[in-house]
Amino acid sequence: MCGIIGYIGDKQALPFLLDGLRRLEYRGYDSSGIAVKNGDIRVHKRTGKVADLESKLPKKIEGTCGIAHTRWATHGGVTNANAHPHCSEDGKIALVHNGIIENARMLRNRLEKEGVKLRSETDSEALVHLIHREISNGAKPLTAVRRTLKRCRGTWGLCVIFEGHDKIICARNGSPLVIGVGDGENWIASDTLPLQALTQHVILLDDGVLAEVTSESVKTSRVDGRSSDSEVTTLEDDWGEAELGDYPHFMLKEIHEQPEALRQCLTGRLDLKDGNARLGGLGLSSKNLQKIPYVRFLGCGTALHAAQVGRLSIEQLARVPALAHVSSEFRHNDPVIHSEAIHFAVSQSGETADTLAAVKEIQLKGGDVRGVINVVGSTIARQCGKGCYIHSGPEQSVASTKAFSNMVAALSLFAIQIGRARSLSRAEGQRLVRSLQEVPQLVEEYLADPGPVKKVVKIVKNAKSVLFLGRGISAPVAREGALKLMEIAYIPCLAYPAGEMKHGPIALLEKGSPVVVVAPNDSLKDKTISSIHECRARGAKIILIHEAGDSIAEEADISIPVPSTDPMFTPMLTVLPLQLIAYHTALALGCDVDRPRNLAKSVTVE
Ligand code: G6P
């Protein structure tokens, strides 16, 4: 969602701001803007892409202090006026804000009554006028921001610059903000990605904290006036490149990074000798694992689908009940929390507001929750304290691909670990560990020869709707395939457990309706064949994802084989053609693959 980048130092701010905006594009946005201070403050903002903003900028914008923003509309439509930065009436203060000010209506009404002419429909604009009022009453910038925030309810990650002051005031509450620490220069950003090429030293601001950032110093304090630590964290080198390289889109790049991503996730975690997995960061001993009454997962979108795969593996290997919940529902359904149960928050970004809220709800009720997260140091990872990083490397395409595979891999590791602590034999553990170790190679083999994906595109690209079917562990894979195609090609997609098809979706089938069936060679295959027959009898075209060498291929109109593996690990292979079908269909329809309309990469509002 909305992104922030700020710079203060001895160099020109503009190149940092524009580069930062480009690196933030992946989060999803509909307008962007910059404010640069050089004596006075100059603001440029507009709807559309960062490239549109850049093309309309004056030739020279000088200044060594500036802030910039990508906006994803929440309060107010997609207009130039609603784009950030927002300015005080005299133009001497500029502000960018992520998050939602819940009492904005009341604050805006009061400001209007006092004669302030509001120029946008946003909640954020109220903040800059309130700050201006404090400054007019003689307050220093930090105090002005602090007093303003004390009057606000809601969430914020914000940066403010002031004419006449060489500093940026920033604050965080519920919307991430990171300060990149340099030598004689500092940056501020809404996530670490735009900072990666600039510095490894960062200060991850906590909720309720304000920072006064100059080119030489960062001073933090809490909004309520208490002191706050500004501990500098050194970011580890991420294995992945945040650049596009030779690929036309991040989605395709990330699909092809899956073999390496999986290796990064599995490395050092497989114990071939004992047939076990090592996930030290979870902090769970065999004794703990034996006592767990049940396991629960929370996630949204792709993360939820990975959790649904994980829960089935756990039930199968550990014979312990496991459930996967939509984070937003879980949190609002007043869940019963068992203090000995284990909860996992699954999230690529580690910032998804619904999942974070679910984590806090569990913790409030005395529950134990661990993160299964990609982004190191993200809010959910820090809130959980313990967990397991999935090590996918930076994922920038809104449509998640490599994070899904790595979440499944990480949860497979956990399934083996809890299985071994309970009833799973050493021999069976060894067999599974060996099989899991081979998966990256199998993924590589499939991607080198992905089969007739383009033939599938011809059938689905003009379809009214596409039905995805799978059973058991392939049911969440079918859901993931449907989500991918819907997200980036805007085709209505339905995903059903194959057995449920006859209870409703069958009504949609007519001559030529595309049905994508995920049917690996597991114990449920024969039942899935019956579902295929039911579809064919209604004229449907069957696109079948199956294991290479399996005679089920005869059931297909278009057959896409993937390499064979243990039934439990098939999701990491069967998902690949589904990702490619979505990618190539979106491309054929001229859609913006990496930045689908209305969606955001990290959804930081509830
Ligand atoms: C958004 C994205 C999805 C993603 C979901 C959960 O909806 O568009 O691709 O799966 O958020 O994100 P998370 O970062 O928590 O995995």
Side-chain angles (χ1 to χ4, degrees), residues 200-370:
Q200 278 188 297
H201 306 295
V202 297
I203 298 171
L204 303 161
L205 290 187
D206 286 327
D207 281 346
V209 169
L210 280 160
E212 186 173 64
V213 185
T214 68
S215 50
E216 300 292 342
S217 66
V218 179
K219 286 190 197 133
T220 56
S221 56
R222 299 193 58 85
V223 174
D224 60 19
R226 284 180 293 145
S227 62
S228 147
D229 275 349
S230 45
E231 191 192 331
V232 177
T233 306
T234 303
L235 293 176
E236 277 174 35
D237 277 334
D238 216 342
W239 68 268
E241 271 294 315
E243 307 291 338
L244 204 45
D246 292 335
Y247 286 95
H249 298 100
F250 279 109
M251 184 175 177
L252 191 63
K253 173 178 180 261
E254 288 157 9
I255 288 172
H256 282 274
E257 280 175 345
Q258 285 175 106
E260 181 55 19
L262 284 166
R263 284 186 188 108
Q264 295 284 341
C265 179
L266 298 176
T267 299
R269 290 170 164 174
L270 296 171
D271 179 347
L272 286 157
K273 194 165 144 271
D274 282 340
N276 206 343
R278 294 189 205 99
L279 290 169
L282 292 181
L284 291 168
S285 66
S286 288
K287 244 193 184 140
N288 299 139
L289 292 170
Q290 282 153 15
K291 277 200 244 145
I292 289 172
Y294 58 82
V295 182
R296 268 169 144 179
F297 293 99
L298 292 316
C300 306
T302 292
L304 176 68
H305 298 150
Q308 289 167 341
V309 171
R311 80 151 196 101
L312 289 166
S313 313
I314 288 165
E315 285 204 343
Q316 201 170 326
L317 293 191
R319 307 309 302 151
V320 91
L323 293 155
H325 302 267
V326 176
S327 304
S328 54
E329 286 293 301
F330 179 82
R331 183 225 170 174
H332 292 297
N333 286 348
D334 201 11
V336 177
I337 306 294
H338 191 308
S339 59
E340 285 192 349
I342 178 93
H343 301 82
F344 286 103
V346 186
S347 173
Q348 187 284 129
S349 62
E351 302 295 347
T352 301
D354 284 322
T355 304
L356 177 62
V359 167
K360 289 183 178 166
E361 182 69 18
I362 295 166
Q363 291 174 334
L364 183 79
K365 294 192 163 141
D368 208 352
V369 53
R370 273 133 173 101

Side-chain angles (χ1 to χ4, degrees), residues 123-138:
D123 52 341
S124 313
E125 190 191 350
L127 296 172
V128 76
H129 297 303
L130 292 170
I131 293 168
H132 176 251
R133 205 167 52 187
E134 298 293 343
I135 294 281
S136 306
N137 291 337

